[in-house]
């Protein structure tokens, strides 16, 4: 695909405008959030629940979802900029939310074996951390299947 210089400059200018204007707008799951330690609203909100998912015709399984999705929604963090996430556990059992590949403190890592507190059943927990290193990372439960 070929672009003229004018098309390239027009496109990048539009993206820069969205970045500047978007920083002051309220978007759910926004790439433009300006996380801060003293904030009262989170940058993101995740709701953990168990949802039936049809993986093949007439083949339905129960999975852990985030905001009703599996996998969960894409979250965009800026390396070095503090972020706050409200985690609601809408399930009947304590849950963990592990930030795979992030170098974060133990209390927000989301791994019970490391000592992270659980998000209790039918409860909410706010976590805050400074993401790093940059890259495409995953978040997921760190509960073991156990008797399941």
């Amino acid at each position: 695909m070929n672009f003229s210089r004018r098309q390239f400059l027009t496109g990048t200018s539009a993206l820069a405008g969205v970045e500047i204007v978007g920083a002051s707008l309220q978007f759910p799951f926004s790439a433009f959030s300006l996380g801060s330690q003293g904030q009262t609203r989170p940058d993101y909100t995740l709701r953990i629940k168990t949802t039936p998912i049809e993986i093949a015709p007439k083949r339905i399984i129960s999975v852990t979802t985030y905001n009703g999705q599996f996998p969960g929604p894409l979250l965009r963090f800026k390396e070095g900029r503090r972020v706050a996430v409200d985690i609601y556990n809408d399930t009947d059992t304590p849950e963990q939310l592990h930030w795979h590949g992030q170098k974060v403190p133990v209390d927000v890592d989301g791994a019970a074996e490391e000592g992270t507190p659980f998000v209790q059943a039918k409860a909410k927990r706010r976590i805050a951390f400074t993401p790093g290193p940059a890259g495409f990372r995953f978040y997921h439960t760190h509960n073991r299947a156990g008797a399941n």
Side-chain angles (χ1 to χ4, degrees):
M1 181 180 254
N2 294 327
F3 291 99
S4 70
R5 183 172 182 259
R6 181 178 303 268
Q7 289 171 319
F8 175 79
L9 292 174
T10 302
T12 55
S13 297
L15 286 174
V18 167
E19 180 79 25
I20 292 166
V21 172
S24 64
L25 299 176
Q26 297 299 321
F27 292 107
F29 308 108
S30 172
F32 309 115
S33 59
L34 300 173
S36 69
Q37 284 185 318
Q39 69 192 34
T40 57
R41 291 174 30 162
D43 295 292
Y44 296 99
T45 299
L46 290 174
R47 295 195 84 93
I48 302 171
K49 61 194 301 190
T50 304
T51 308
I53 300 286
E54 187 169 15
I55 60 170
K58 298 183 182 180
R59 178 77 172 127
I60 298 172
I61 62 171
S62 183
V63 298
T64 301
T65 59
Y66 301 93
N67 294 358
Q69 295 178 221
F70 179 79
L74 177 66
L75 307 180
R76 293 183 184 267
F77 301 141
K78 187 146 186 113
E79 183 177 16
R81 183 179 291 170
R82 194 161 178 82
V83 63
V85 181
D86 278 353
I87 305 167
Y88 289 85
N89 180 3
D90 295 333
T91 71
D92 293 327
T93 58
E95 271 290 342
Q96 289 282 9
L97 185 66
H98 175 64
W99 303 95
H100 201 94
Q102 290 292 311
K103 293 181 180 178
V104 296
V106 170
D107 64 322
V108 298
D109 181 63
E113 61 271 20
E114 297 295 328
T116 306
F118 282 86
V119 181
Q120 294 304 314
K122 308 295 185 196
K124 170 194 144 194
R125 180 170 183 235
R126 175 172 288 182
I127 62 167
F129 61 92
T130 303
F136 187 67
R137 309 279 185 238
F138 299 90
Y139 58 92
H140 57 85
T141 185
H142 239 235
N143 282 356
R144 291 187 176 23
N148 293 336

